[in-house]
């Protein structure tokens, strides 16, 4: 069965430091991959998505992610963390079949330290 | 353009009671999805509507859950009777319904936090 694993339910970084949030998926078919962010009291907002075009995907707010098929990974990075990046981040996968329902990881809560 | 809205934002009920959650998708979106996040776990798919028809309800936990989408517009999710394990955050998402996942992004609402005591 397809699944998504996010390593680290909580990640802390200093302001200005590199942000790296890990996501691995298991799949026997080509995936479509997403990163969503949830700020307090808000819905999930799409950061970026991989749709089999470029393997390096740039998103909003300076985030990017690289699809690595050999590693079945889609890690999210940002060169320099900002206080406003503190939120919960979700990796999700779907496939070109069925209802396109998303399969999510358990989420990573990012804390940015001043 | 208004986003996906959900009502109520919070609901606290006693075990055995009934609760109805509502989702208003983005206008013109044919696809509507319900997801649930139990505390500390992943967000899990519950079901999918295309207009007023249920396309996939494989994620519905049991027959205490009933989802409807009247006229292909808003949707309701009723839990009757509620059990303790139904507590969690219920998310609704909508998408336009064309082009597949490469172009058809799901837009999520803020969720309804349900607490069953």
């Amino acid at each position: 069965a397809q699944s998504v694993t996010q390593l680290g339910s909580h990640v802390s970084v200093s302001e200005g430091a590199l942000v790296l949030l890990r996501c691995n998926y298991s799949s026997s078919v080509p995936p479509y991959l997403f990163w969503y962010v949830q700020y307090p009291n808000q819905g999930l907002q799409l950061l970026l998505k991989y749709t089999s075009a470029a393997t390096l995907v740039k998103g909003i707010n300076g985030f990017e992610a690289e699809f690595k098929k050999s590693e079945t990974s889609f890690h999210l990075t940002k060169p320099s963390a900002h206080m406003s990046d503190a939120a919960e981040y979700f990796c999700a996968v779907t496939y070109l079949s069925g209802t396109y329902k998303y399969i999510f990881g358990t989420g990573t809560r990012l804390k940015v330290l001043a | 353009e208004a986003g996906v809205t959900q009502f109520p934002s919070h609901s606290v009920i006693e075990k055995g009671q009934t609760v109805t959650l509502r989702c208003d998708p983005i206008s013109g979106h044919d696809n509507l999805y319900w997801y649930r996040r139990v505390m500390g776990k992943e967000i899990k798919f519950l079901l999918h509507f295309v207009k007023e028809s249920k396309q996939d309800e494989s994620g519905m936990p049991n027959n205490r859950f009933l989802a409807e989408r009247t006229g292909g517009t808003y949707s309701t999710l009723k839990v009757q009777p509620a059990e303790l394990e139904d507590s969690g955050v219920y998310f609704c998402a909508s998408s336009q319904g064309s082009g597949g996942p490469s172009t058809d992004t799901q837009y999520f609402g803020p969720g309804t936090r349900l607490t069953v005591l």
Side-chain angles (χ1 to χ4, degrees):
Chain A
Q2 291 92 349
S3 65
V4 173
T5 302
Q6 290 184 242
L7 284 177
S9 58
H10 292 79
V11 170
S12 294
V13 299
S14 298
E15 192 175 19
L18 171 72
V19 176
L20 170 60
L21 304 182
R22 299 178 186 276
C23 173
N24 288 85
Y25 68 93
S26 67
S27 170
S28 56
V29 297
Y32 294 85
L33 292 153
F34 307 82
W35 275 100
Y36 280 83
V37 60
Q38 186 180 25
Y39 299 102
N41 301 316
Q42 294 185 30
L44 279 71
Q45 179 183 0
L46 181 68
L47 273 178
L48 50 80
K49 62 182 180 181
Y50 167 74
T51 60
S52 75
T55 56
L56 181 62
V57 182
K58 294 188 185 297
I60 61 172
N61 302 338
F63 284 93
E64 63 181 38
E66 186 173 8
F67 172 68
K68 292 186 176 180
K69 184 178 178 181
S70 61
E71 299 177 8
T72 60
S73 68
F74 190 57
H75 301 332
L76 182 70
T77 60
K78 181 174 180 178
S80 177
H82 192 270
M83 297 298 287
S84 61
D85 295 327
E88 191 159 22
Y89 293 78
F90 296 91
C91 182
V93 66
T94 191
Y95 305 93
L96 192 62
S97 65
T99 64
Y100 310 143
K101 61 189 176 189
Y102 288 4
I103 299 165
F104 283 89
T106 50
T108 298
R109 190 169 294 279
L110 176 67
K111 186 174 181 179
V112 182
L113 307 171
Chain B
E1 179 183 288
V4 177
T5 57
Q6 293 186 245
F7 182 82
S9 56
H10 293 82
S11 180
V12 180
I13 61 172
E14 301 274 336
K15 176 183 171 181
Q17 289 185 321
T18 297
V19 63
T20 300
L21 314 181
R22 173 170 169 145
C23 168
D24 286 79
I26 293 172
S27 178
H29 279 194
D30 287 342
N31 287 325
L32 189 148
Y33 300 81
W34 283 98
Y35 294 85
R36 177 176 73 172
R37 188 185 191 197
V38 172
M39 190 162 57
K41 301 278 183 80
E42 70 272 31
I43 300 170
K44 279 194 171 179
F45 167 82
L46 295 178
L47 88 159
H48 170 214
F49 284 99
V50 176
K51 297 183 180 178
E52 67 275 7
S53 299
K54 291 177 187 173
Q55 193 75 10
D56 179 355
E57 50 185 329
S58 61
M60 294 287 262
N62 51 60
N63 59 10
R64 295 185 293 102
F65 288 75
L66 175 64
E68 295 179 324
R69 190 178 182 193
T70 307
T73 55
Y74 71 91
S75 174
T76 57
L77 180 64
K78 179 160 58 173
V79 185
Q80 180 182 30
E83 298 288 345
L84 298 179
E85 63 265 24
D86 300 333
S87 296
V89 180
Y90 290 77
F91 291 100
C92 175
S94 71
S95 71
Q96 199 156 19
S98 59
S102 62
T103 55
D104 195 37
T105 301
Q106 291 185 28
Y107 296 89
F108 283 77
T112 293
R113 182 174 296 277
L114 174 63
T115 302
V116 182
L117 302 176

